Amino acid sequence: MLLFLAGGAALWLLAAAFILAICRTAAHADERRRVVRVSRRGATASLAAAAVTLPLGAEQASAACANRDVEFQVNPAVVRDAMLCEIERVRERRDIRDLRVNGQLDVAASRHATDMWQRRYFSHVSPGGSDLADRARRAGFARRGCSWMVGEVLAWGVASRSTAAGTVRAWMNSPPHRKAILTASYRDAGVGVSLGLPLSAPGQGATYTVDFGTRR
């Protein structure tokens, strides 16, 4: 997960210990994977469901992403689309295959971003103990009898730190997040954006969840 704060030097000094404590404890948990052995029937069902997902266009990925520097308060949907484009661009530059926008992962990511904001926490595990695997099951992405793998990155930011470009740049500068974004075996992705901060902090901002997955 990544934590962003905006402000002067004094604010950074006051928040430094808090930020470091979160980053130290969270770095190892940024990518969560779960693989379930596949049955032939389960694999067929997964592939059929995956066929209805929408691909990101090659032109969108290769060109500069539209609205990459738009802040959260202008239009959440615009920032969400820019986030997908930015992630696709960094994968394309390394010849990693395209991601498909998956509605079930969108649901899982959106629910988690909203839940973190509403209940004021910032973690891959909810206060009740639910984790990414649980969310993937509830959203219908992870199914019994099929093989699946999921990963997740989180962030929150204010002002210029809430843009798609700024958020993805920060993820790429963090080895655990970079690894999740560039995992070639991920084929599907969903993005959740919540207009609000998950923790008490100055300013207004946004909370982001990006879920990645593969089903066979």
Side-chain angles (χ1 to χ4, degrees):
M1 75 190 62
L2 294 182
L3 179 63
F4 302 126
L5 293 175
L11 177 61
W12 279 106
L13 289 174
L14 291 173
F18 176 64
I19 297 171
L20 290 174
I22 290 179
C23 291
R24 288 188 186 120
T25 58
H28 67 89
D30 289 312
E31 184 180 8
R32 292 181 172 272
R33 300 183 178 187
R34 182 74 60 87
V35 177
V36 178
R37 291 302 174 189
V38 65
S39 70
R40 186 178 186 87
R41 182 176 180 181
T44 303
S46 297
L47 291 173
V52 301
T53 58
L54 302 176
L56 297 177
E59 292 184 0
Q60 179 189 26
S62 59
C65 293
N67 303 307
R68 64 193 305 267
D69 294 316
V70 171
E71 295 180 13
F72 77 95
Q73 65 265 42
V74 176
N75 189 326
V78 161
V79 177
R80 175 192 176 281
D81 291 344
M83 182 85 71
L84 285 168
C85 181
E86 287 289 300
I87 291 172
E88 189 66 4
R89 285 184 69 217
V90 298
R91 287 171 65 95
E92 183 186 32
R93 289 171 187 160
R94 294 158 180 82
D95 293 323
I96 301 173
R97 60 185 177 176
D98 293 344
L99 292 167
R100 300 170 297 197
V101 180
N102 183 280
Q104 293 160 334
L105 290 179
D106 264 350
V107 168
S110 296
R111 287 173 176 171
H112 191 53
T114 300
D115 189 56
M116 286 192 293
W117 167 65
Q118 290 180 337
R119 296 205 278 174
R120 295 295 189 269
Y121 71 95
F122 188 58
S123 174
H124 296 282
V125 181
S126 75
S130 296
D131 61 11
L132 173 57
D134 297 319
R135 295 191 291 275
R137 289 194 191 95
R138 287 196 295 268
F141 183 82
R143 302 169 180 168
R144 288 186 179 182
C146 72
S147 173
W148 52 274
M149 182 174 72
V150 291
E152 183 174 80
V153 292
L154 308 176
W156 64 265
V158 299
S160 62
R161 300 288 185 174
S162 66
T163 67
T167 303
V168 174
R169 186 184 307 118
W171 278 332
M172 291 299 290
N173 287 330
S174 167
H177 301 81
R178 180 187 179 95
K179 180 180 178 182
I181 290 172
L182 299 182
T183 296
S185 54
Y186 290 145
R187 295 291 287 118
D188 303 296
V191 176
V193 181
S194 178
L195 300 189
L197 299 179
L199 303 172
S200 297
Q204 295 180 322
T207 302
Y208 298 106
T209 300
V210 181
D211 287 343
F212 303 96
T214 296
R215 292 184 298 196
R216 297 180 180 87

